[in-house]
């Protein structure tokens, strides 16, 4: 695999892996935060319950202190005092505050009579003969319900009695277990409890259970309807469900359920509260409204952001990589161009020196011949001015000018090609005629170098739509090259027709062309690895040839082996 591919995978894998790790980390952290928050909210609920119960106990303690110092037990005074505490307005949920008086059996009658002066219907109930009674003589506020409780002997009921005895013996505020208050209508039967604080005779020693029992006068007490009480305490609770049980979580012991729901809530916690000698079990559960940091949407957000950042980093990386690649390619292109430019300059310099050399050779020889003639004329030497001598000189002059003309024509063609002015003027041309014409024109050179005209095998009657002059130029170039680079060995010319396309083969058995030069020779100013002195020529011929063939919609290529010879193949479509 390519290094960049591996890097791609590393970046994506690392990005996604760290996204998953961060998501898991954030999820766990949020979960912990949720747990802590839940614990905090639960503690808050417990503290609220405890604080409220302490307030109620405090009120009872104050009432007892008031009674201790007021001398006698006067109903009016007690009622007035209770009303003045404003406890019902300040801490709603309390059913009442009252006083229950301890009576021995022998005191019952006189007590009842005394009470009936104020409350004609007063009697201690339930009826029956018992050693000790405890009768509620005051219960504020004096509403319909509480009035029902006046005269009730709480000592006659075992739960209340147990709590009262504990309170009496320990000199403490003690709560009953779950009871149904006497003031409840029977149909409702709602659970509640009472809170008792013992009231002893003034100035009695209270240092032992015995002494406390002896000194007991009665109890200041508060009845509570559990539902009203806890509802008032938890009025503002919106995110937790709270269930409160007496003693244990038996459904029978349920005092209060803040948010009755069948839903499976989570998380939950169960705590015990010890309040005034009794255990309350408080179960808290997070409601759906509980704000959760570990919510799905939060975690999804972390994951999506992580993935997005990974993709962003990856795109930046890709972009940078691409930019770097482009910069590299541009630099390489520049380098190549520069190299090419250098080569061009070098071959142009080469060309200029070859061109001047090529131009100078015929010019020098022309000048020499002119000087020879001038000398002969001035010497008035009839032998030197004989018809043969003069015609030989003129022939030489003609050859040199032809050579010069060809050189200049080549250079003009190059300039035409460069400026796109090389025009093809098509005509109906018989290929065999042109080939034979060119061979005929070059006959002296063929004879001079290889001793014969080239062997030719021509497909009969090939007629195409070509520029005759340019076609001659192509053939002249190829034949001249075969002569020049053919080492004096025989030359073969062959044509073949395939469909509407003719192929011309020019084969020599000369020096051949090295593989690395095969493409180059069709370029401008290229002379396959030869210096100017080796063989004369400007290195323009094949370039011009190839351009002419191309302008005819054809192709030129060469098959060659160094030292063995070359075959140039020109492919021309018959039609334009
Ligand atoms: P010139 O012959 O004037 O140098 P050309 O463009 O005609 O220019 O040829 C380019 C180069 O191709 C020549 O310099 C020569 O090296 C090589 N070449 C052309 N024809 C042949 C051939 N028949 N055999 C070997 N080399 C050839």
């Amino acid at each position: 695999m390519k290094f960049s591919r591996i890097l791609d995978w590393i970046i994506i894998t690392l990005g996604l892996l760290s996204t998953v790790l961060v998501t898991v980390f954030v999820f766990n952290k949020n979960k912990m935060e949720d747990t802590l928050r839940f614990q905090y909210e639960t503690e808050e609920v417990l503290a609220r319950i405890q604080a409220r119960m302490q307030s109620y106990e405090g009120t009872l303690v104050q009432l007892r202190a008031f009674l201790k110092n007021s001398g006698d037990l006067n109903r009016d005074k007690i009622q007035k005092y209770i009303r003045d505490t404003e406890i019902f307005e300040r801490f709603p949920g309390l059913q009442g505050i009252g006083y229950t008086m301890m009576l021995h059996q022998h005191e019952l009658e006189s007590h009842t009579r005394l009470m009936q002066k104020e409350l004609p219907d007063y009697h201690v109930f339930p009826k029956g003969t018992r050693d000790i009674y405890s009768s509620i003589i005051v219960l504020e506020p004096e509403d319909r319900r509480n009035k029902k409780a006046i005269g009730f002997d709480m000592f006659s009921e075992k739960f209340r009695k147990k709590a009262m005895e504990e309170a009496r013996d320990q000199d403490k505020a003690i709560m009953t277990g779950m009871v149904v208050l006497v003031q409840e209508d029977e149909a409702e039967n709602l659970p509640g409890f009472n809170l008792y604080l013992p009231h002893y005779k003034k100035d009695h020693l209270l240092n032992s259970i015995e002494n406390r029992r002896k000194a007991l006068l009665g109890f200041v007490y508060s009845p509570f309807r559990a539902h009203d009480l806890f509802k008032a305490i938890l009025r503002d609770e919106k995110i937790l469900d709270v269930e409160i049980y007496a003693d244990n979580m038996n459904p029978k012991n349920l005092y209060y359920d803040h948010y009755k729901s069948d839903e499976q809530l989570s998380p939950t916690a169960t705590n015990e509260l010890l309040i005034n000698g009794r255990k309350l079990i408080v179960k808290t559960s997070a409601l759906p409204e509980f704000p959760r940091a570990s919510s799905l949407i939060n975690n999804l957000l972390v994951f999506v952001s992580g993935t997005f950042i990974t993709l962003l980093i990856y795109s930046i990386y890709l972009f940078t990589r691409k930019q770097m690649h482009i910069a590299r390619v541009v630099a390489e292109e520049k380098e190549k161009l520069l190299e090419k430019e250098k080569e061009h300059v070098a071959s142009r310099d080469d060309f200029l020196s070859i061109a001047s050399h090529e131009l100078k050779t015929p010019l020098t020889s022309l000048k020499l011949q002119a000087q020879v003639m001038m000398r002969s004329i001035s010497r008035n030497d009839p032998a030197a001015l004989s018809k043969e001598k003069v015609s030989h000189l003129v022939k030489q002059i003609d050859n040199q000018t032809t050579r010069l003309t060809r050189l200049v024509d080549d250079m003009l063609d190059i300039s035409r090609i460069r400026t796109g002015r090389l025009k093809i003027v098509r005509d109906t041309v018989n290929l065999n005629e042109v080939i034979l014409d060119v061979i005929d024109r070059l006959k002296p050179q063929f004879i001079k170098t290889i001793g014969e005209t080239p062997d030719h095998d021509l497909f009969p009657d090939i007629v195409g739509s070509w520029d005759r002059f340019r076609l001659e130029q192509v053939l002249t170039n190829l034949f001249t090259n075969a002569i020049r680079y053919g080492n004096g060995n025989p030359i073969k010319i062959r044509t073949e027709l395939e469909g509407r396309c003719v192929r011309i083969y020019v084969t020599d058995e000369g020096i051949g062309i090295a593989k690395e030069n095969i493409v180059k020779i069709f370029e401008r100013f290229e002379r396959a690895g030869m210096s100017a002195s080796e063989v004369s020529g400007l290195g323009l011929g094949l370039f011009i040839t190839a351009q002419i063939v191309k302008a005819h919609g054809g192709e030129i290529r060469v098959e060659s082996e160094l030292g063995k010879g070359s075959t140039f193949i020109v492919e021309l479509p018959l039609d334009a």
Side-chain angles (χ1 to χ4, degrees), residues 505-574:
Y505 296 84
V506 180
T507 307
D508 65 65
E509 293 166 20
I511 59 172
I513 304 160
K515 255 201 188 89
E516 66 270 20
N517 290 330
I518 282 190
V519 199
K520 282 197 196 165
I521 55 168
F522 297 106
E523 287 172 15
R524 229 183 324 174
F525 314 138
E526 281 301 336
R527 307 174 75 248
M530 279 179 234
S531 68
S533 53
E534 285 177 65
V535 183
S536 70
L538 280 180
L540 294 176
L542 282 180
F543 173 68
I544 297 168
T545 303
Q547 297 303 315
I548 295 171
V549 173
K550 210 167 121 192
H552 277 90
E555 242 178 49
I556 181 166
R557 60 178 198 278
V558 63
E559 286 165 5
S560 180
E561 206 178 317
L562 205 59
K564 293 220 169 130
S566 321
T567 299
F568 281 82
I569 305 152
V570 175
E571 230 174 60
L572 285 176
L574 297 189

Side-chain angles (χ1 to χ4, degrees), residues 413 416-417 419-426 467 469-470 548 551-552:
D413 280 347
R416 282 195 193 102
I417 290 167
T419 53
R421 282 183 292 119
L422 184 83
K423 291 268 166 345
I424 299 296
V425 185
R426 288 182 191 266
D467 183 328
F469 170 73
R470 292 295 177 190
I548 295 171
H552 277 90

Side-chain angles (χ1 to χ4, degrees), residues 192-193 249 277 421 432 455 576:
F193 58 85
M249 280 179 51
R421 282 183 292 119
N432 291 359
D455 186 16

Side-chain angles (χ1 to χ4, degrees), residues 26 35 117 125-126 153 282 295 355 382 387 397 424 439 443 471 501 573:
V26 170
T35 311
K117 280 187 188 162
F125 66 96
D153 172 12
V282 182
S295 63
K387 193 180 167 198
I397 289 170
I424 299 296
I439 291 177
K443 193 171 170 182
L471 190 57
C501 181

